[in-house]
Every structure is written in structure tokens, then in C-alpha cells.
């Protein structure tokens, strides 16, 4: 029985991450968007993160835009650091699950260290990767966080 499998040269995959990183760098440079630091993870999926901060309610929340060989671009914001532990984790997860139901594109979760993270996955391989869309979604996330951040923090600080 014959198969139609074709081997994909490994350099094709590397070109995916490289092309997305270059497109994003060109876009932010051409549009005078500053404040990003580029991190190369030097791993098998050729992941790179553009890191910066979002000004939300007087706080600077760190975020990253993760680009790699996959068809996804991941936008992740650290909403709160190391605070959602014990009973606070249980309380905030109920609220975050409600937010996840309201805003299906955005996903909140609490990691093992008690960090509250907001993640948005944007599907787009190289031919359809649009840095302008990534920035537009980042702006929407910032507006969303300006609206919900006070409630998130109020719930985290409740006793």
C-alpha cells in the first residue's frame, strides 16, 4: 500500500517562527510602537516573546506576545502575581470562570504559583499572520482589563 507522506524539510518550520518575528518587528518599527523587549527561548519550537507592560488602573501588568512555529500567536498578561493561593484561589476561580464564560476569546486561569493569568490565542500561520490584528487585540485586552481589574483585585484582597 502506497502512502502519500512527504517529508517537510526542517528549515521550513524554522522559517515560520522567523517570518512571524520579522513581520512583528517590522510592524512595530514602522508604526513607532515602542516598549517591547524581544526574548529568544532558543527551544525546539523556535519560540520568541515580545515582552512589555500594560498600564491598568495605575499598575504595570507584564505581558508577552509569544510567536513560534505553530499556527498560534499567544498573548498572555500576568494580572496578579503569587496572590491567588489557598482560599483566595478558590474564590477568584469562581469569578474568573464567570469571566471566561462572558469573554470566550479570553481565558483566565490561576497557575500553581498563584499567579492570575489572562491568555488569548490568535490562530494565524505565516500567510495569514497580521501584526496589526495582534496589536488591535492587545488594545482590546487592555480595555477589558481596565473594566474588570478593579473587581479582580477586590476579590483577591478580600478576607
Amino acid at each position: 500500500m502506497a502512502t502519500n507522506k512527504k517529508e517537510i524539510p526542517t528549515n521550513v518550520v524554522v522559517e515560520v517562527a522567523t517570518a512571524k518575528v520579522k513581520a512583528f518587528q517590522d510592524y512595530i518599527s514602522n508604526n513607532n510602537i515602542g516598549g517591547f523587549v524581544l526574548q529568544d527561548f532558543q527551544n525546539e519550537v523556535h519560540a520568541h516573546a515580545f515582552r512589555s507592560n500594560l498600564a491598568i488602573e495605575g499598575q504595570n501588568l507584564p505581558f508577552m506576545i509569544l510567536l513560534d512555529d505553530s499556527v498560534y500567536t499567544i498573548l498572555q498578561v500576568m494580572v496578579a502575581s503569587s496572590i491567588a493561593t489557598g482560599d483566595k484561589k478558590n474564590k477568584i476561580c469562581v469569578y474568573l470562570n464567570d469571566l471566561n464564560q462572558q469573554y470566550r476569546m479570553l481565558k483566565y486561569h490561576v497557575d500553581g504559583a498563584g499567579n492570575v493569568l489572562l491568555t488569548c490565542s490568535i490562530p494565524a500561520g505565516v500567510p495569514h499572520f497580521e501584526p496589526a490584528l495582534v496589536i488591535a487585540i492587545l488594545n482590546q485586552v487592555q480595555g477589558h482589563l481596565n473594566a474588570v481589574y478593579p473587581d479582580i483585585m477586590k476579590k483577591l484582597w478580600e478576607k
Side-chain angles (χ1 to χ4, degrees), residues 78-153:
M78 183 176 288
V79 178
S81 177
S82 303
I83 189 172
T85 58
D87 289 340
K88 287 184 181 185
K89 181 176 181 176
N90 296 333
K91 286 182 186 178
I92 197 64
C93 283
V94 171
Y95 180 69
L96 297 178
N97 282 336
D98 288 342
L99 289 176
N100 287 340
Q101 290 298 314
Q102 292 176 44
Y103 305 97
R104 294 190 182 263
M105 184 176 138
L106 306 175
K107 291 299 168 205
Y108 286 91
H109 73 278
V110 177
D111 68 11
N115 300 312
V116 177
L117 302 166
L118 172 59
T119 304
C120 177
S121 178
I122 308 162
V126 173
H128 304 290
F129 177 69
E130 296 181 36
L133 177 63
V134 175
I135 295 298
I137 291 172
L138 178 63
N139 290 333
Q140 291 293 314
V141 166
Q142 186 173 23
H144 165 76
L145 282 170
N146 276 319
V148 301
Y149 182 77
D151 288 337
I152 291 171
M153 294 312 295

Side-chain angles (χ1 to χ4, degrees), residues 10 12 18 26 36 42 61 69 76 90 117 142:
T10 55
V12 171
T18 303
D26 290 348
F36 284 103
Q42 298 182 0
L61 304 184
D69 293 333
Q76 188 171 72
N90 296 333
L117 302 166
Q142 186 173 23

Side-chain angles (χ1 to χ4, degrees), residues 7-19 44 46 69 126:
E7 283 194 35
I8 298 173
T10 55
N11 65 333
V12 171
V13 174
V14 175
E15 290 174 9
V16 170
T18 303
E44 64 280 354
H46 310 102
D69 293 333
V126 173

Side-chain angles (χ1 to χ4, degrees), residues 52-94:
S52 192
N53 295 294
L54 284 177
I56 306 292
E57 295 290 316
Q59 301 297 315
N60 287 316
L61 304 184
F63 76 91
M64 72 173 173
I65 298 168
L66 183 67
L67 305 172
D68 61 15
D69 293 333
S70 74
V71 296
Y72 300 101
T73 296
I74 305 296
L75 171 62
Q76 188 171 72
V77 181
M78 183 176 288
V79 178
S81 177
S82 303
I83 189 172
T85 58
D87 289 340
K88 287 184 181 185
K89 181 176 181 176
N90 296 333
K91 286 182 186 178
I92 197 64
C93 283
V94 171

